[in-house]
């Protein structure tokens, strides 16, 4: 968690910098750097501050942060310092393109950012910002407008001069703040009219405003501003809250703590998986055309797609991102032109063969059993797979092309006393799903709306329901309650 009020985390794949303008005179990064320079726990700061050092090992860090966060990029340097090689910048952007966080870039080297911008993909999670604390830095805003970022912002901090000529056209957010972090003698005061000028311009253009702090209580034009942190004994701050505005954060009695509007970034998932998904999808589409001769290839690819979507998260949102559909059902119907039931039958059949006679899958000359025949085994599949010796005659019938589905069903009934209702459905039209299939379909329908944390509980509940149905023949009037998972008539 960062102490900087307008972000949540800092990420420093580069450390070190050098002074660039008079705004840098009291550089906070330099103070912090020098504080760590002899600290063995912080080996990346061992060189003097003026050594600009890209740190490859830092590039993996954002992949390990579990929740999407707002991340200030390079709080201990300037990302577009000319000593940062373009190749390294590309790596930084690659990380930002492929992780779910919202990245806040802030630079004083706006000309270099604008010049190199075309080398990078500005995914919507990358905000581009420039610092403008003096009137001679206003040109940076024109550079910023050349950068194709979804959100462009200006940090007027430390605001040490009036910047009344700043043009906020096409800017989405401004941060305003006074200087802090040094002794009172060194600090340069921010005057109220300079702040009012920016606020007025921002309000005119509908730009969001974040007023961070006055920097020192002595600089706050309102000495009784209630947001000035209270001091305890020995001058220590009483409040331990994260956002502790140095010197208070009200401007004429008002607080400005706005952020630009932005959507959570999901494109990183597409970036990470798009080639794999495309390849699999193309393979499924190809295999559909040979479905009549062999369903094996199609089934294997469907299983691969299902497993991949599982690993990504398998939410409605993911189906939308990859295939512009809401669910697996819609994917089958719209993209593959087959029913979801057919897809399940094929997948079950392939899984059954994989688990029982995988060697058949490598033998092109082998005729595979009809996938609708294998479906007969579905309610007892686990028992059968676990006890191959006990059910060897069932296996023989499955893999014997002469055995019809009805004959196989009779054999299964001998072993398992299959309820009449299931038997009746199985020998009906192929498109009429059996009870187990209905349960599976119900599960798939609901699963998209179950959070990741509840999935285990949900799976247990569904297993119970399935067991109950296998033990008790289901009456025609019996329904499964989606709310409590129990059977109710
Ligand atoms: S550009 Fe930023 S990090 Fe670099 S010296 Fe100036 S204030 Fe410090």
């Amino acid at each position: 968690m960062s102490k900087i009020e307008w972000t949540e985390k800092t990420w420093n794949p580069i450390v070190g910098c050098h002074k660039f303008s008079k705004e840098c005179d009291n550089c906070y990064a330099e103070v912090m750097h020098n504080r760590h320079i002899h600290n063995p726990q912080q080996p990346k700061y061992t060189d003097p501050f003026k050594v600009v050092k890209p740190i490859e090992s830092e590039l993996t860090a954002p992949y390990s942060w579990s929740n999407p966060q707002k991340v200030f990029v390079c709080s201990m340097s300037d990302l577009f310092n000319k000593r940062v090689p373009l190749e390294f910048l590309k790596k930084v952007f690659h990380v930002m393109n492929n992780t779910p966080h919202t990245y806040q870039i802030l630079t004083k080297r706006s000309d270099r950012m604008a010049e190199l911008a075309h080398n990078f993909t500005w995914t919507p999670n990358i905000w581009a910002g420039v610092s403008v604390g003096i009137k001679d830095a206003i040109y940076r805003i024109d550079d910023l407008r050349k950068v194709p970022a979804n959100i462009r912002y200006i940090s007027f901090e430390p605001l040490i001069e009036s910047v009344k000529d700043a043009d906020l056209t096409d800017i989405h957010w401004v941060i305003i703040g006074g200087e802090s972090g040094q002794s009172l003698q060194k600090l340069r005061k921010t005057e109220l009219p300079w702040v009012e000028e920016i606020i007025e311009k921002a309000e005119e253009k509908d730009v969001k405003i974040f007023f961070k702090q006055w920097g020192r209580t002595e600089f706050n034009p309102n000495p009784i501003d209630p947001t000035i942190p209270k001091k305890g004994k020995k001058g220590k701050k009483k409040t331990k809250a994260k956002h502790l505005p140095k010197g208070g954060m009200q401007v004429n009695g008002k607080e400005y703590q706005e952020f630009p509007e932005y959507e959570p970034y999901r494109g990183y998932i597409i970036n990470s998986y798009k080639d794999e998904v495309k390849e699999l999808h193309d393979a499924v589409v190809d295999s559909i055309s040979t479905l009549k001769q062999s369903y094996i290839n199609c089934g294997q690819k469907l299983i691969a797609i299902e497993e991949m979507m599982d690993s990504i998260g398998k939410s409605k949102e993911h189906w939308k991102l990859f295939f512009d559909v809401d669910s697996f059902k819609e994917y089958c119907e719209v993209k593959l032109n087959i029913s979801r039931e057919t897809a399940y039958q094929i997948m079950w059949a392939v899984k059954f063969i994989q688990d029982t006679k995988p060697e058949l899958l490598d033998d092109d000359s082998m005729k595979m059993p009809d996938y609708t025949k294998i479906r007969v085994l579905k309610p007892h599949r686990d028992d059968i797979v676990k006890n191959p010796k006990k059910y060897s005659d069932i296996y023989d019938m499955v893999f014997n092309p002469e055995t019809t589905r009805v004959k196989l069903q009779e054999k299964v009934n001998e072993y398992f006393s299959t309820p009449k209702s299931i038997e009746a459905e199985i020998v009906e039209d192929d498109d009429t799903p059996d009870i187990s299939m209905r349960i599976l379909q119900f599960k798939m329908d609901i699963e998209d709306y179950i959070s990741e944390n509840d999935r285990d509980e949900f799976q247990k509940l569904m297993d119970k329901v399935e067991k109950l149905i296998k033990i008790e023949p289901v009456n025609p009037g019996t329904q499964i309650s989606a709310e409590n998972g129990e059977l109710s008539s």
Side-chain angles (χ1 to χ4, degrees):
M1 183 66 88
S2 168
K3 285 183 181 157
I4 300 168
E5 289 82 346
W6 46 266
T7 196
E8 290 168 322
K9 199 167 187 71
T10 54
W11 176 41
N12 286 296
I14 298 152
V15 296
C17 196
H18 60 273
K19 303 278 169 84
F20 183 74
S21 76
K22 75 173 180 184
E23 299 143 289
C24 300
D25 285 358
N26 290 325
C27 173
Y28 184 68
E30 184 179 26
V31 174
M32 293 305 290
H33 188 111
N34 291 337
R35 198 173 285 172
H36 292 311
I37 204 159
H38 299 301
N39 181 354
Q41 311 286 330
Q42 302 279 355
K44 65 183 181 184
Y45 299 110
T46 46
D47 290 323
F49 180 64
K50 64 178 185 217
V51 177
V52 177
K53 197 160 70 173
I55 303 167
E56 291 275 344
S57 59
E58 279 294 322
L59 293 173
T60 52
Y63 294 98
S64 65
W65 304 331
S66 48
N67 298 321
Q69 309 185 55
K70 283 201 282 299
V71 180
F72 176 18
V73 182
C74 288
S75 64
M76 297 296 284
S77 180
D78 185 329
L79 183 66
F80 287 99
N81 188 305
K82 65 178 181 200
R83 293 174 197 171
V84 180
L86 175 60
E87 284 318 304
F88 192 78
L89 287 173
K90 285 183 181 171
K91 289 182 187 176
V92 171
F93 271 78
H94 179 80
V95 175
M96 297 193 285
N97 296 149
N98 290 287
T99 44
H101 314 292
T102 297
Y103 293 95
Q104 298 161 310
I105 292 173
L106 186 59
T107 185
K108 288 186 178 66
R109 278 81 172 177
S110 55
D111 48 351
R112 188 164 190 238
M113 176 165 71
E115 188 192 321
L116 297 183
H118 68 278
N119 290 285
F120 317 122
T121 305
W122 291 85
T123 41
N125 61 326
I126 302 174
W127 300 4
V130 293
S131 296
V132 176
I134 54 175
K135 61 177 180 305
D136 283 350
I138 290 175
Y139 74 92
R140 295 177 196 153
I141 304 174
D142 288 332
D143 287 336
L144 178 61
R145 270 187 278 271
K146 294 177 195 158
V147 175
N150 237 27
I151 290 179
R152 286 183 286 267
Y153 72 101
I154 304 165
S155 170
F156 294 104
E157 185 195 9
L159 184 64
I160 53 179
E161 279 179 16
S162 164
V163 289
K164 63 178 170 28
D165 294 328
D167 172 8
L168 300 188
T169 306
D170 289 338
I171 300 302
H172 306 95
W173 189 38
V174 293
I175 300 165
I176 311 166
E179 196 167 47
S180 65
Q182 287 284 5
S183 62
L184 185 56
Q185 294 71 29
K186 283 190 177 172
L187 293 177
R188 295 159 289 181
K189 184 182 175 191
T190 297
E191 298 291 348
L192 175 62
W194 307 341
V195 174
E196 289 172 334
E197 286 162 4
I198 298 170
I199 289 177
E200 195 180 322
K201 276 170 183 283
E203 285 177 340
E204 262 171 32
K205 300 263 183 196
D206 213 12
V207 175
K208 302 288 182 204
I209 304 165
F210 193 100
F211 183 80
K212 190 177 153 193
Q213 60 187 27
W214 286 101
R216 291 287 295 220
T217 306
E218 292 83 345
F219 300 161
N220 190 325
N222 175 14
I224 54 164
D225 177 344
T227 62
I228 294 174
K230 304 278 180 297
K231 295 200 170 175
K233 281 181 193 165
K234 297 182 192 162
K236 290 210 169 127
K237 288 163 191 158
K238 261 186 179 171
T239 326
K240 284 199 173 163
K242 178 205 167 191
H243 298 305
L244 206 58
K246 295 184 186 75
M249 60 179 182
Q250 282 193 351
V251 181
N252 296 327
K254 189 172 169 188
E255 288 170 30
Y256 297 86
Q257 299 282 294
E258 298 170 339
F259 284 89
E261 281 167 23
Y262 67 101
E263 299 278 320
Y265 176 55
R266 293 283 179 255
Y268 74 98
I269 301 173
I270 291 195
N271 284 336
S272 313
Y273 288 91
K274 67 178 174 207
D275 294 341
E276 207 179 330
V277 168
K278 187 176 178 321
E279 208 175 292
L280 271 176
H281 173 66
D282 290 348
V284 172
V285 171
D286 272 358
S287 64
I288 294 279
S289 58
T290 59
L291 205 53
K292 287 275 184 288
Q293 291 87 46
S294 168
Y295 56 87
I296 300 298
N297 189 22
C298 179
Q300 286 172 322
K301 296 295 183 293
L302 280 169
I303 290 167
I305 284 222
E306 198 198 32
E307 283 174 355
M308 193 172 60
M309 293 304 280
D310 268 348
S311 72
I312 296 169
K314 204 170 94 178
S315 71
K316 191 172 169 178
E317 193 184 355
H318 293 119
W319 285 108
K320 196 90 203 158
L321 277 170
F322 285 111
F323 301 111
D324 198 27
V325 295
D326 281 344
S327 60
F328 182 63
K329 178 176 186 291
E330 212 180 307
Y331 171 70
C332 294
E333 290 169 357
V334 176
K335 301 289 173 185
L336 306 180
N337 214 15
I338 59 173
S339 71
R340 181 179 53 178
E341 290 69 33
T342 301
Y344 285 153
Q345 286 174 28
I346 292 170
M347 289 157 74
W348 290 340
V350 171
K351 279 181 186 161
F352 182 79
I353 298 169
Q354 270 171 353
D355 289 347
T356 54
K357 288 200 189 274
E359 65 278 9
L360 293 188
L361 297 173
D362 299 326
D363 185 351
D364 290 343
S365 65
M366 277 301 302
K367 184 164 168 35
M368 297 297 161
D370 181 343
Y371 59 80
T372 60
K373 192 164 99 178
I374 295 182
R375 191 184 71 176
V376 168
L377 307 180
K378 175 67 180 99
H380 315 290
R381 185 188 172 284
D382 288 350
D383 289 337
I384 295 170
V385 172
K386 273 184 205 149
N387 302 291
K389 279 194 186 141
K390 183 174 172 191
Y391 300 113
S392 60
D393 43 355
I394 288 185
Y395 281 109
D396 291 345
M397 292 177 81
V398 169
F399 291 102
N400 179 353
E402 304 299 317
T403 312
T404 64
R405 191 174 43 171
V406 175
K407 285 275 174 237
L408 178 65
Q409 181 67 64
E410 284 168 4
K411 178 55 81 182
V412 169
N413 290 353
E414 274 175 31
Y415 277 108
F416 297 100
S417 315
T418 306
K420 283 257 186 290
S421 56
I422 293 179
E423 184 188 359
E425 283 194 47
I426 288 170
V427 294
E428 272 178 17
D429 186 339
D430 277 349
D431 288 326
T432 309
D434 61 45
I435 293 288
S436 291
M437 192 182 285
R438 283 181 186 171
I439 293 171
L440 193 70
Q441 284 166 17
F442 172 71
K443 239 169 73 176
M444 295 288 280
D445 286 343
I446 299 285
E447 240 174 19
D448 285 349
Y449 302 98
I450 305 283
S451 73
E452 205 61 42
N453 291 344
D454 295 330
R455 287 229 169 126
D456 283 349
E457 274 313 306
F458 175 69
Q459 183 58 48
K460 280 184 207 157
L461 191 62
M462 292 315 298
D463 289 345
K464 268 190 204 165
V465 171
E466 197 159 5
K467 247 187 210 161
L468 268 174
I469 288 176
K470 280 182 195 170
I471 295 164
E472 296 291 333
V474 182
N475 296 322
T478 303
Q479 292 175 341
I480 300 167
S481 158
E483 275 179 18
N484 54 20
E486 289 169 1
L487 293 174
S488 59
S489 292

